[in-house]
Structure formats: C-alpha cells, structure tokens
Amino acid sequence: MENKLLRERISDISQTVEELKRGKDSRVLTNGNQPAVFSSGIDKRLLLNAASPSPVQQTQIGFTAALTHDISLGELQPVEYDKVISNIGNAFDARHGHFIAPVKGVYILSGSIFNQRGHTMHMEMVKNGVQLVAFYGDPDVYSMGSQTIVIALEANDMVWIRHFRTTGSASIYGRTDQPINTFSGALLFQL
C-alpha cells in the first residue's frame, strides 16, 4: 500500500515538473521568496516547502546580578555584583561585574542602584568604557536611580555599571535580604 502511494506521489511530481517545463501554469516564484498560487495543491505544497528558509537557532542570553552589601566606589570604579540570580548563556562575568555580548544583536539592559542616605551617587552604564546612560541618587534621602535601554551590540562588546565621577565617592546601600541593586540584560534578537 505504501509503495503504491509513493509511486502515485512520484507520478504527480513528475507530471508537475513536466507541466512547469512546458510553461503550463508557470507562475513559479514571484520574487525568489514568495510562492505564487497554482492550479493544483501539490504544486503549492512543493514550492512552499522549497521556498521556506530553515529556522535559525537563536542564541539564548539573559542575566540578573545583584549587590547584597554596602560598598563605597571611587573614581570610575565598577560595581562588582556578588550575587548572580540568573546567567543564561554565561555572558555575565561575575568576577568583574561585566556583561560580554556573545553575538551581534539587539539587547535590553537595565541597572538600578540604591544609595546610602547622605551620599550623592552618580552612576553610568558604559559600553567598552563609553557612557550609554547615567543615573543619579539624591544625597538628602535614600534614593534609587535606574535606567533601561535597548541597544545593538557587536559580539564581544562589554557593558558594565560604574561610578562616573572622577572625584568623590558613591556609597551604595545593600542587604542580603533586599537585592535592590541590580544589573540585568537579555538578547532580544540576533542581527
């Protein structure tokens, strides 16, 4: 029974090929990607399958790191997060607090910092040492600064959060039971 069905399919395909060669209903592909409508269902199925690109395996990247203790940062000193909550794809370097983009793509990145009361805080998110965005904490009260950006990164671009003043220090408030100082990111799609 299976052999009979296969022979019938082969015969249908051969007939379709012959019709296309003769120019009978020869609307094959309009722009290399879009299949045209054909008179028989088998023609459409064959050409749709041939024109469909194979799915590309998407790299999966996502991370969140937190700071769980008080720190005081000096000039251009990076925040070294001590608790990795997630690190899908292992693109976050926990030893240095850096995210290294493993592939060229569009990423969403976010950072939040909570300052010590009485201390001004000027922070920035940098890519390869160049500021992307900045955030600020008011010295009068405990204050939180945060930023979220969507950005295209090249493979091996490095992103981190640091104190951006070249004078003074920034004191950041942190507790193990309150992971409010965070750095997160995820790959939205590859380019």
Side-chain angles (χ1 to χ4, degrees):
M1 183 68 164
E2 287 181 37
N3 285 342
K4 183 179 177 186
L5 288 174
L6 288 173
R7 274 183 271 196
E8 288 175 4
R9 282 188 171 164
I10 290 171
S11 176
D12 287 345
I13 291 170
S14 296
Q15 183 181 357
T16 300
V17 169
E18 289 302 315
E19 288 175 3
L20 290 173
K21 283 182 183 176
R22 288 193 306 267
K24 188 176 186 183
D25 200 7
S26 61
R27 297 170 284 155
V28 182
L29 296 176
T30 56
N31 69 4
N33 294 335
Q34 301 295 326
V37 178
F38 294 91
S39 58
S40 71
I42 192 162
D43 297 340
K44 186 175 180 180
R45 280 194 312 272
L46 287 172
L47 291 171
L48 278 174
N49 290 340
S52 299
S54 60
V56 176
Q57 182 66 25
Q58 178 73 20
T59 302
Q60 296 180 345
I61 301 298
F63 73 94
T64 295
L67 181 69
T68 62
H69 61 276
D70 293 348
I71 61 170
S72 183
L73 300 174
E75 299 175 8
L76 302 178
Q77 184 178 351
V79 178
E80 294 179 3
Y81 298 89
D82 60 326
K83 180 179 182 180
V84 176
I85 297 169
S86 64
N87 195 5
I88 300 159
N90 297 315
F92 180 73
D93 176 0
R95 293 174 298 136
H96 302 102
H98 295 149
F99 166 69
I100 303 168
V103 295
K104 181 178 180 177
V106 174
Y107 293 81
I108 185 167
L109 300 167
S110 176
S112 64
I113 298 289
F114 193 71
N115 73 324
Q116 287 280 1
R117 185 176 183 185
H119 295 271
T120 302
M121 180 182 61
H122 294 90
M123 304 300 292
E124 65 183 345
M125 185 184 298
V126 296
K127 177 184 85 171
N128 302 327
V130 177
Q131 186 183 87
L132 296 171
V133 293
F135 35 114
Y136 172 79
D138 190 328
D140 294 334
V141 295
Y142 288 105
S143 181
M144 181 175 244
S146 67
Q147 284 281 9
T148 300
I149 63 169
V150 174
I151 186 167
L153 297 175
E154 297 291 328
N156 299 312
D157 276 348
M158 189 180 300
V159 180
W160 67 96
I161 294 176
R162 71 180 181 189
H163 177 229
F164 81 82
R165 290 291 180 164
T166 55
T167 59
S169 65
S171 293
I172 298 172
Y173 174 87
R175 296 290 178 265
T176 55
D177 63 334
Q178 299 174 0
I180 54 179
N181 300 294
T182 59
F183 180 31
S184 299
L187 173 63
L188 298 176
F189 55 88
Q190 286 181 240
L191 293 175

